[in-house]
């Protein structure tokens, strides 16, 4: 049997964007949201009103689950055909439903914050709500930390035209800019994203260098405008925090990621101590490229030679067979997902770029979207996205309020799958070019997570500390950036990227401040788990599943303590994880020395 290369969406709602069933589903959801909004406020929480509270909460979760389901479906439709205008319309229409639902939750959380602790805890102890107590407590705690409901509502409304508008302005400025780039005698018009992949991925060093120079020049031109976006949105955030009485800019991102400050500090301390091991990798790679020291644009330069003509079916079989050696449960899920048409992998035009995995909670199913082009990268992406799918799958029978996990642990299962498959491939290939290419790929990740993201975090923290006393000029921002890069890269590069603060979209995402450290946390968390899984062998399987099942109902420290028996606020776990990541340096250096 040949495996399907297109996903099957008709079992979710038949008929794609013209589905009458989907139209009915959305109409009902719209009506139910309006009815929920029209309900009178909840009465004071007492033993007598407890059941009314339970009904309201169940209704909120029911609406959330249905809206999530609808959003996943339209997300799939839009991605599989970017020219499906009807799908885009349907997707856009859900925005207002999301805003309404958010208002309902905010109203509920504010009311919950006003209730006495004893009555609240009695409510959460009921059989109906105990499984979602963690999530409900989070809503209430957050409301307690904020200003009174009407002031928060005003901030949210002003943020739409102020705070978040700077984010949108950045997207327009960076997204609409085009440049002329000459290659092989032909001048091409490119977006800044395309130019960036030229300076990182082009095999020809001269092309990389020219692309990087043009990239920096272009951002020099845009810097005065985007520095306003950065300064003003930071000002908005700092003012809001000041009124709420929040002293640290890390309070919000740490809360959003269910993490303690001690954990973050322990992680960065270990990285600061150990990441200079990557300097040996830089030296070996410089030797390979033929330069004394790597400049910024050579760090990701392609080396080695990875196979690029995989058939999808072979790639799928490789993923399943090798995951089976580590955990048959994951392998069975992957086989089922691939054979049942849960994966859209066809290489055709008209599809959205990139890859993702989405959950359809009303069906207990997931769907994976990607474009498989036969490269090793495609094989690895398949393993990665199926890891997300598996994570969603083990959560499928939990109450919806216990299914939401944060960015910090979102990449646990995906990175785990990727590691298993990459190591299996490394062990099986006898081709030196392939081995070198794979090791370089893994070490490229190490540089990204242990150095590049560390520089972003240090920059952002320092920027906010200084911004509290006034705006920073373009030059000051660039100086700050280079300083952070030199520290994170242990002075190991010949040239840095001063305007990185301007070119990196992540600094401008107002809905997720400090969109950096959760990446490094997740990467190392998964490596630590992978190291433990290798040591524990088959016995680890059940612990892994139990850990994934609790990602929606525990903070990260409790999750690690309960299922791995480790204390994330102490260095030991991070040392194991970082050592696991850095173990590839020696074989890479040895290979280069033998060449
Ligand atoms: Zn992922």
């Amino acid at each position: 049997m040949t495996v399907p290369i297109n996903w099957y969406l008709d079992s979710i709602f038949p008929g794609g964007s013209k589905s009458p069933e989907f139209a009915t589903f959305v109409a009902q959801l719209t009506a139910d949201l309006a009815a929920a909004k029209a309900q009178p406020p909840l009465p004071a929480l007492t033993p007598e009103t407890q059941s009314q509270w339970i009904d309201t909460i169940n209704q909120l979760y029911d609406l959330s689950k249905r809206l999530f389901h609808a959003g996943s479906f339209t997300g799939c439709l839009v991605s599989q055909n970017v020219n499906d205008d009807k799908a885009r319309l349907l997707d856009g229409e859900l925005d207002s439903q999301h805003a309404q639902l958010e208002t309902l939750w905010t109203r509920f959380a504010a009311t919950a914050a006003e209730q006495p602790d004893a009555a609240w805890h009695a409510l959460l102890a009921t059989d109906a709500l105990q499984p979602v107590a963690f999530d409900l407590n989070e809503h209430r705690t957050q409301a307690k930390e904020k200003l009174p409901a009407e002031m928060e509502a005003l901030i949210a409304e002003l943020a739409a035209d102020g705070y978040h508008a700077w984010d949108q302005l950045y997207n327009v400025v960076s997204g609409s800019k085009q440049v002329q780039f000459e290659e092989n005698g032909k001048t091409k018009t490119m977006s800044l994203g395309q130019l960036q992949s030229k300076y990182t991925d082009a095999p020809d060093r001269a092309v990389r260098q020219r692309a990087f120079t043009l990239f920096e020049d272009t951002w020099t031109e845009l810097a005065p405008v985007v520095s306003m976006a950065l300064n003003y949105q930071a000002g908005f955030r700092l003012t809001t925090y000041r009124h709420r009485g929040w002293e640290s800019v890390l309070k919000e991102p740490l809360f959003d990621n269910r993490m303690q400050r001690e954990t973050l500090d322990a992680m960065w301390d270990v990285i600061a101590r150990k990441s200079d091991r990557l300097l040996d990798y830089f030296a070996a790679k410089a030797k390979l490229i033929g330069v004394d020291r790597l400049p910024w644009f050579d760090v990701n330069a392609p080396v080695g030679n990875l196979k690029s003509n995989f058939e999808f079916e072979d790639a799928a079989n490789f993923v399943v067979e090798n995951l089976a050696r580590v955990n048959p449960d994951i392998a069975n899920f992957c086989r089922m997902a691939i054979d049942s048409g849960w994966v859209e992998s066809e290489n055709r035009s008209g599809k959205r770029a990139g890859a993702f995995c989405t959950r359809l909670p009303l069906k207990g199913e997931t769907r994976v979207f990607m474009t498989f082009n036969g490269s090793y990268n495609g094989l690895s992406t398949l393993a990665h996205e199926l890891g997300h799918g598996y994570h969603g799958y083990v959560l499928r029978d939990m109450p919806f309020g216990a299914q939401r996990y944060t960015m910090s642990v979102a990449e646990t299962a995906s990175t785990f799958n990727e590691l298993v498959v990459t190591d299996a491939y490394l062990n099986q290939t006898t081709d030196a070019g392939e081995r070198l290419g794979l090791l370089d790929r893994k070490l490229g990740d190490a540089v990204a997570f242990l150095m590049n993201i560390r520089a972003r975090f240090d920059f952002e923290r320092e920027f906010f500390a200084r911004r509290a006393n006034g705006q920073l000029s373009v030059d000051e921002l660039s100086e700050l950036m280079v300083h952070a890069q030199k520290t994170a890269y242990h002075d190991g590069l010949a040239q840095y990227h001063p305007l990185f603060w301007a070119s990196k979209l992540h600094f401008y995402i107002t809905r997720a401040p400090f969109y950096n450290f959760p990446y490094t946390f997740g990467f190392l968390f998964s490596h630590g788990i992978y190291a433990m899984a290798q040591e524990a062998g088959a016995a680890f399987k059940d612990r892994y599943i139990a850990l994934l099942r609790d990602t929606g109902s525990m903070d990260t420290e409790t999750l690690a303590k309960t299922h791995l028996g480790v204390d994330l606020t102490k260095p030991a776990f991070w040392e194991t994880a970082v050592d696991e990541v850095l173990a590839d340096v020696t074989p890479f250096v040895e290979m280069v020395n033998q060449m």
Side-chain angles (χ1 to χ4, degrees), residues 212-256:
F212 185 68
T213 305
L214 180 60
F215 193 72
E216 279 277 319
D217 289 350
T218 310
W219 280 109
T220 303
E221 203 183 294
L222 301 177
V225 176
V226 297
S227 74
M228 284 177 74
L230 195 65
N231 272 298
Y232 283 118
Q233 72 177 47
F236 189 103
R237 199 182 299 167
L238 285 168
T239 304
T240 308
Y241 289 170
R242 182 159 49 77
H243 283 281
R244 286 177 186 160
W246 293 6
E247 277 168 13
S248 167
V249 286
L250 290 173
K251 186 183 172 81
E252 186 176 13
L254 284 170
F255 185 89
D256 289 348

Side-chain angles (χ1 to χ4, degrees), residues 355-357 384-385 388 410-412 414-415 418 519:
F356 65 83
C357 174
H384 180 102
E385 297 305 334
H388 285 303
E411 298 300 331
T412 307
S414 55
T415 310
E418 234 187 296
Y519 273 121

Side-chain angles (χ1 to χ4, degrees), residues 540 543 546-548 550 554 558-566:
F540 195 75
R543 281 166 74 194
L547 178 137
L548 291 180
D550 276 339
M554 281 184 184
T558 312
L559 190 70
K561 182 116 237 161
T562 308
H563 298 292
L564 307 172
V566 296

Side-chain angles (χ1 to χ4, degrees), residues 379-591:
L379 184 150
S380 172
T381 302
L382 178 66
H384 180 102
E385 297 305 334
L386 285 171
H388 285 303
Y390 180 67
H391 193 170
Y393 193 69
V394 302
L395 288 168
R396 72 192 181 285
D397 57 343
M398 313 271 288
F400 191 67
Q403 288 190 14
R404 190 184 68 85
Y405 48 81
T406 61
M407 190 181 162
S408 54
V409 294
E411 298 300 331
T412 307
S414 55
T415 310
F416 185 89
N417 272 12
E418 234 187 296
L419 286 171
V420 170
V421 167
T422 305
D423 277 358
Y425 200 84
L426 257 176
N427 286 333
Q428 288 166 39
T429 182
T430 48
D431 183 283
E434 286 219 299
R435 277 190 67 79
L436 191 72
L438 271 181
L439 287 169
D440 183 62
R441 220 183 102 96
K442 288 185 79 185
L443 288 164
D445 283 347
V447 172
F449 290 105
L450 305 185
M451 291 177 150
N452 190 311
I453 292 183
R454 182 175 165 219
R456 297 182 207 178
F457 175 77
D458 281 353
F459 166 83
E460 193 158 359
R461 206 174 43 168
E462 190 58 29
F463 163 63
F464 270 97
R466 295 216 207 160
R467 178 63 184 84
N469 305 315
Q471 303 216 7
L472 279 81
S473 69
V474 166
D475 287 346
E476 285 169 323
L477 290 166
S478 294
E479 273 168 38
L480 213 57
M481 192 74 246
V482 172
H483 180 75
Q485 287 170 350
K486 283 185 174 170
T487 307
Y489 286 74
H490 299 276
D491 284 310
L493 300 185
Q495 184 199 5
Y496 295 87
H497 185 356
L499 286 160
F500 188 76
W501 61 267
S503 72
K504 195 73 206 171
L505 163 96
H506 291 185
F507 292 121
Y508 298 81
I509 303 177
T510 45
R511 292 190 191 276
F514 281 83
Y515 198 76
N516 39 54
F517 70 81
Y519 273 121
T520 300
F521 177 95
F523 176 75
L524 290 178
F525 190 59
S526 198
H527 272 80
I529 292 173
Y530 182 59
M532 289 172 120
Q534 280 170 306
E535 206 162 295
F540 195 75
K541 186 182 135 244
D542 295 338
R543 281 166 74 194
Y544 182 67
I545 294 171
L547 178 137
L548 291 180
R549 277 177 73 82
D550 276 339
T551 45
S553 42
M554 281 184 184
D555 61 56
T556 50
E557 288 81 11
T558 312
L559 190 70
K561 182 116 237 161
T562 308
H563 298 292
L564 307 172
V566 296
D567 183 351
L568 294 183
T569 65
K570 299 283 184 307
F573 174 83
W574 301 111
E575 281 166 356
T576 310
V578 171
D579 287 344
E580 170 76 28
V581 173
L582 297 175
D584 292 316
V585 174
T586 304
F588 184 86
V589 171
E590 277 171 3
M591 278 196 85

Side-chain angles (χ1 to χ4, degrees), residues 343-363:
V343 181
E344 167 61 52
S345 68
E346 191 184 3
N347 190 2
R348 63 164 194 270
S349 60
K351 279 173 79 167
R352 211 201 83 164
F356 65 83
C357 174
T358 192
R359 284 185 288 148
L360 293 140
L362 291 178
K363 286 269 181 194

